[in-house]
């Protein structure tokens, strides 16, 4: 097959890990006889520096013309002045909105060899395999913001339509998995959450009566994620709760550097990004963990290009490299030898063949 992929390396370790994801995709293209065409564009702080805009028009048109978009990371101290009017993160939020990728899929899968990388007890981690589905283009992230000398506000809005479409995506994933859906909200306090819960209960009863539905308040969910993580199959939640709960869930796996994501809308064109940030302190030092980026590339192969066998080959290769003992510094045990970003990628590529 032929496909065009727009790469947005962004800031900090974004370029380091994007290069690794690209190498793996090139190996896959070669091995399975596909033609993948890559185009690199600017986003985030790098785009502010070069053009004065965190999401230049050229980046938007290139993403809209692509079959899939891969993003490294955005942000960093250079652009974090609270008084700054331009922020790298605006570029990413705008891009998610323009591409209409309202469903952010974040799989949390434990690698047996890495149980010691997690601060949690091994017996709690046994059997953990969940998908967190985060609503990505609504809620408090996108509501009107105000600021004056004495106060500030961020408006949180959800429409019935926005809730229905994300719940349907989550329920469809649950149908293909263990048939369990946990919807997380704060319905004891927030009106948007009461709408979310009403819509969820009505839609699930009408359209997915076979799926087991559980509802949790977000504070309780944060606790249950640590006390009984293996019970969860698919978790669905609003934008901000999903952001927070997935960083928490990364500690089940042991490192943010392991968690990929796919952001999907109504077409096959998706946006793929590791869930970690730009980690400016380790940028350019060839020590960042490329696994989250490479696993995001696997999701790109699966969800945008329909290449399931290729996606599984990449995921198996990541598992293979870990089983063979390759560890970047974030997942190495005390005193265990570490490999570089590029050496980890070499090992994953070796496991591909
Ligand atoms: C994420 C990140 C982003 C978010 C930031 C960089 C805007 O934390 O993808 O989880 O909050 O969505
Ligand atoms: Mg986040």
């Amino acid at each position: 097959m032929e496909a065009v992929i727009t790469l947005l390396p962004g800031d900090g370790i974004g370029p380091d890990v994007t290069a690794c994801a690209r190498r793996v995709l090139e190996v896959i293209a070669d091995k399975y006889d596909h033609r993948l065409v890559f185009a690199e564009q600017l986003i985030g702080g790098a785009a502010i520096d070069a053009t004065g805009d965190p999401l230049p028009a050229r980046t938007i048109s290139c993403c809209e013309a692509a079959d899939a978009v891969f993003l490294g990371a955005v942000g960093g101290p250079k652009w974090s002045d609270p008084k700054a009017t331009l922020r790298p993160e605006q570029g990413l939020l705008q891009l998610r909105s323009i591409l209409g990728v309202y469903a952010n899929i974040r799989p949390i899968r434990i690698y047996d060899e890495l149980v010691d990388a997690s601060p949690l007890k091994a017996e709690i981690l046994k059997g953990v395999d969940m998908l967190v589905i985060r609503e990505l283009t609504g809620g408090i992230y996108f509501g009107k913001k105000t600021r004056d000398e004495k106060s500030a506000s961020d408006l949180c809005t959800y429409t019935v339509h926005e809730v229905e479409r994300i719940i349907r995506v989550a329920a469809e994933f649950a149908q293909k998995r263990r048939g369990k859906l946990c919807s997380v909200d704060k319905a004891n306090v927030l009106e948007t959450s009461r709408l979310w819960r009403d819509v969820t209960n009505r839609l699930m009863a009408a359209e997915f009566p076979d799926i087991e539905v559980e509802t949790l308040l977000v504070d309780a969910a944060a606790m249950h994620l640590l006390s009984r993580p293996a019970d969860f199959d698919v978790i669905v939640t609003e934008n901000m709760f999903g952001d927070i709960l997935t960083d928490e869930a990364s500690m089940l796996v042991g490192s943010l550097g392991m968690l990929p994501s796919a952001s999907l809308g109504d077409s096959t064109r998706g946006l793929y990004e590791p869930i970690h940030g730009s980690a400016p302190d380790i940028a350019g030092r060839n020590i960042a963990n490329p696994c989250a980026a490479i696993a995001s590339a696997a999701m790109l192969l699966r969800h945008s290009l329909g290449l399931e066998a290729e996606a599984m080959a990449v995921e198996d290769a990541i598992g293979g490299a870990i089983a063979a003992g390759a560890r970047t510094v974030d997942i190495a045990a005390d005193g265990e030898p570490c490999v570089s970003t590029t050496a980890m990628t070499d090992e994953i590529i070796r496991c591909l063949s």
Side-chain angles (χ1 to χ4, degrees), residues 128-190:
V128 168
D129 176 9
M130 74 179 95
L131 271 190
V132 179
I133 306 210
R134 169 187 176 195
E135 200 291 325
L136 202 62
T137 54
I140 200 165
Y141 271 60
F142 289 91
K144 187 169 182 280
K145 296 174 192 306
T146 67
R147 175 80 184 263
D148 62 29
E149 239 126 74
K150 295 215 176 77
S151 68
S153 69
D154 297 275
L155 183 65
C156 183
T157 306
Y158 269 109
T159 65
V160 170
H161 169 69
E162 283 173 322
V163 181
E164 280 177 349
R165 66 183 181 178
I166 190 74
I167 297 296
R168 274 196 193 101
V169 169
E172 277 159 17
F173 273 103
Q175 262 176 339
K176 292 190 215 114
R177 293 170 49 98
R178 305 199 302 278
K180 283 165 68 174
L181 182 70
C182 174
S183 174
V184 174
D185 61 39
K186 186 72 183 171
N188 53 348
V189 176
L190 301 177

Side-chain angles (χ1 to χ4, degrees), residues 27-339:
V27 170
I28 288 287
D30 206 40
K31 188 165 177 240
Y32 292 83
D33 213 11
H34 301 304
R35 200 171 109 79
L36 300 182
V37 179
F38 297 95
E40 276 200 18
Q41 292 295 332
L42 291 165
I43 193 166
I48 294 176
D49 287 351
T51 70
D53 182 348
L55 187 67
R58 205 179 142 64
T59 300
I60 299 175
S61 56
C62 209
C63 291
E64 283 177 332
D67 296 295
V69 180
F70 182 95
L71 179 130
V74 293
K78 186 173 175 195
W79 310 279
S80 296
D81 181 348
K83 293 203 180 64
T85 47
L86 287 177
R87 298 186 143 267
E89 291 80 2
Q90 287 163 357
L92 174 56
L93 298 186
Q94 258 182 49
L95 181 66
R96 289 171 177 170
S97 180
I98 289 169
L99 295 179
V101 287
Y102 58 83
N104 180 226
I105 320 297
R106 299 188 161 185
I108 318 285
R109 206 188 114 201
I110 303 287
Y111 296 87
D112 288 343
E113 299 84 358
L114 288 187
V115 286
D116 292 335
S118 169
L120 285 139
K121 294 191 191 106
E123 71 246 36
I124 288 191
L125 298 174
K126 213 161 166 241
V128 168
D129 176 9
M130 74 179 95
L131 271 190
V132 179
I133 306 210
R134 169 187 176 195
E135 200 291 325
L136 202 62
T137 54
I140 200 165
Y141 271 60
F142 289 91
K144 187 169 182 280
K145 296 174 192 306
T146 67
R147 175 80 184 263
D148 62 29
E149 239 126 74
K150 295 215 176 77
S151 68
S153 69
D154 297 275
L155 183 65
C156 183
T157 306
Y158 269 109
T159 65
V160 170
H161 169 69
E162 283 173 322
V163 181
E164 280 177 349
R165 66 183 181 178
I166 190 74
I167 297 296
R168 274 196 193 101
V169 169
E172 277 159 17
F173 273 103
Q175 262 176 339
K176 292 190 215 114
R177 293 170 49 98
R178 305 199 302 278
K180 283 165 68 174
L181 182 70
C182 174
S183 174
V184 174
D185 61 39
K186 186 72 183 171
N188 53 348
V189 176
L190 301 177
E191 206 53 54
T192 40
S193 280
R194 287 191 272 272
L195 175 93
W196 182 285
R197 194 177 282 207
D198 287 348
V199 170
T200 302
N201 288 338
R202 179 179 42 74
L203 187 144
M204 292 305 295
E207 297 179 25
F208 300 92
D210 299 339
I211 303 276
E212 187 189 318
V213 183
E214 178 188 23
T215 303
L216 282 181
L217 297 171
V218 63
D219 48 351
M223 178 185 70
H224 289 286
L225 261 181
L226 302 184
S227 61
R228 54 174 188 97
D231 286 353
F232 295 104
D233 180 16
V234 176
I235 293 180
V236 63
T237 190
E238 61 128 277
N239 204 343
M240 170 111 117
F241 299 159
D243 179 45
I244 298 168
L245 292 178
T246 48
D247 267 31
E248 183 192 0
S250 76
M251 282 298 105
L252 303 168
V253 189
S255 169
L256 260 183
M258 296 300 298
L259 260 55
S261 86
S263 303
L264 309 172
D266 290 328
S267 76
T268 58
R269 187 186 53 219
L271 170 65
Y272 300 85
E273 36 174 328
I275 85 158
H276 62 66
S278 61
D281 50 321
I282 60 164
R285 289 172 54 195
N286 199 22
I287 58 172
N289 187 343
C291 288
I294 294 171
S296 302
M299 295 185 87
L300 181 159
L301 292 166
R302 170 176 298 122
H303 295 294
S304 282
L305 309 189
L307 301 174
E308 179 61 31
E310 288 83 337
M312 280 177 62
V314 173
E315 286 164 353
D316 288 349
I318 296 170
I322 286 166
R327 302 278 184 276
T328 43
V329 61
D330 56 313
I331 50 172
D334 278 346
E336 204 178 7
C338 311
V339 299

